[in-house]
Amino acid sequence: MSESPPSFPAQRCADCGLRYGHGAHVCRQCGSEAFEDAPLSGEGTVYARTTIRIPGSDQQGEEPFEVAVVDVGGAESVRVTARIEENPGLGPDDPVEFVERRNGVFYFRAV
Amino acid sequence: MKDVCIVGMGTTEFGVLDEGIKELGITAVARALRSCDVDREDVDALYLGNFVAGMLEGQETLAPLVADSVGLVGVPTMKTEGACASSGIAFRQAYQAIRTGVHDVVVVAGVERMTNAETPEFTRALGSAADHDTDGATGLTFPGFYGLVLNRYMHEYGATREQVAAVSVKNRRNGVSNPRARFRSPVTVEDVVDSRLVADPLRLYDCCPAADGGAAVVLASADVAQSFTNAPIPVLGSGHATGRSAAYRYDDLTTLEATSLAAEEAYGEAGISPSEVDVVELHDCFSAAEIGDSEDLGFFEKGEGAAAVAEGRTAVDGELPINPSGGLLAKGHPVGATGIGQVYEVCLQLLGEHENQVEGAEVGVAHNLGGSGAVSTVTVLGGPSHV
Ligand SMILES: [Zn+2]
């Protein structure tokens, strides 16, 4: 039995309903400044992945680490830039699940 | 609308240089002014592209400092910034100012000094072109962004690592004979695919080297261009567009739409199609970037760019020579100087004076791209017979 992953903390524009994975201050579609929580399923798919081996000064010592563009949330998915935990072999179309948001960064792992 | 021409140009070498940021700018501008019959009194404005002088050298206010140092007294100046497209944007602004009759003669410069910085500081400074809150927070670097692009490109189009490596092989080969290039030794496909990983699947020889350098051109309205030189290079079209602000913002990471939008505008203004272009200097900050750029600029169908390079179609003697200068991969990438450096190389081609001359080059394109595909400029230039 596998437990379902934690839900993903997406938001949506309170006026036009456009969904956001990364937060927004102003809706790019309608210009509204009002947003509401609209959590999505934490199930996702890798769109593209890379392994960073030469990091900038803020991530010194963490290398190598995985960064990926992930589609999360199933049918109503949003696309986010995220970190993948300890799965250097993942690539496009591989399933992942949301782990947590830490210091503003979304973390996923292989299913 | 007035027609606009390039009437003078100057550059430093691109490489590891001792001069400071201001000196690189002064040298490039002075050489551009000396290359033509423009007096300092003729110059109406100076626009200068630069990216990280403030962060790496603690020197800002560059445009007026350079202007005053070369004896341009009292003219309006400004610095433009758009990461790697910083001086492409400066060129565009000067072009618009002349086209609309605001100015007649504008000096455009680009300058950057990078090799004096330690790698982490350098990587962090470059990374400031990414969106801090999203891509930046994950630790995604610029090689990382193009690692994502290449990962997806290979997945969608079945391009091989060897085909992609052919970009670096071609551009390093072209750089051998370019005295302005930082790298002047060739590499093989094996060298590229065996070099150390930087941001999978990108390896060291897929990445352009940092460099120091400055480049400048003098733009003038066509009405007065002939009084400054007998070989003015007409600007046939110019485009400037915004793209996506971060990796996750792309529906299709294999197309950086800032480039295709800027190209559409530039080709439209020039009244040409991509098939009429004879020579191209495009933004090959990474091998993967050249492949995508060549498709976004309309030279190849989506997914065919990698095979085109591997088949030699973009070599100096190929059907469409791309980066005969050696590109950023061989010349080096002094970020703020890159856009004008490309324009300089295309001008040499159109004057028939390039070390890797493309026979009969009459129409050339310079393509500059900044950030995560966030901004692009495309410039179409013609031979002197087009004036
Ligand atoms: Zn909205």
Side-chain angles (χ1 to χ4, degrees), chain B residues 11 13 44 60 85 87 95 145 156 166 220-221 234 241 247 307 370:
Chain B
T11 191
E13 287 174 37
D44 298 320
E60 291 281 17
S87 61
Y95 169 77
F145 176 78
E156 281 193 28
S221 69

Side-chain angles (χ1 to χ4, degrees), chain A residues 66-100:
Chain A
E66 316 294 314
V67 176
V69 176
V70 173
D71 292 321
V72 58
E76 299 168 307
S77 73
V78 291
R79 182 164 282 184
V80 294
T81 308
R83 289 272 279 262
I84 305 283
E85 293 186 334
E86 296 167 18
N87 281 285
L90 286 185
D93 297 348
D94 285 337
V96 290
E97 62 183 26
F98 180 58
V99 178
E100 63 175 336

Side-chain angles (χ1 to χ4, degrees), chain B residues 308-324:
Chain B
V309 179
E311 290 161 5
R313 292 162 66 189
T314 59
V316 173
D317 61 356
E319 70 196 60
L320 179 63
I322 292 181
N323 290 326

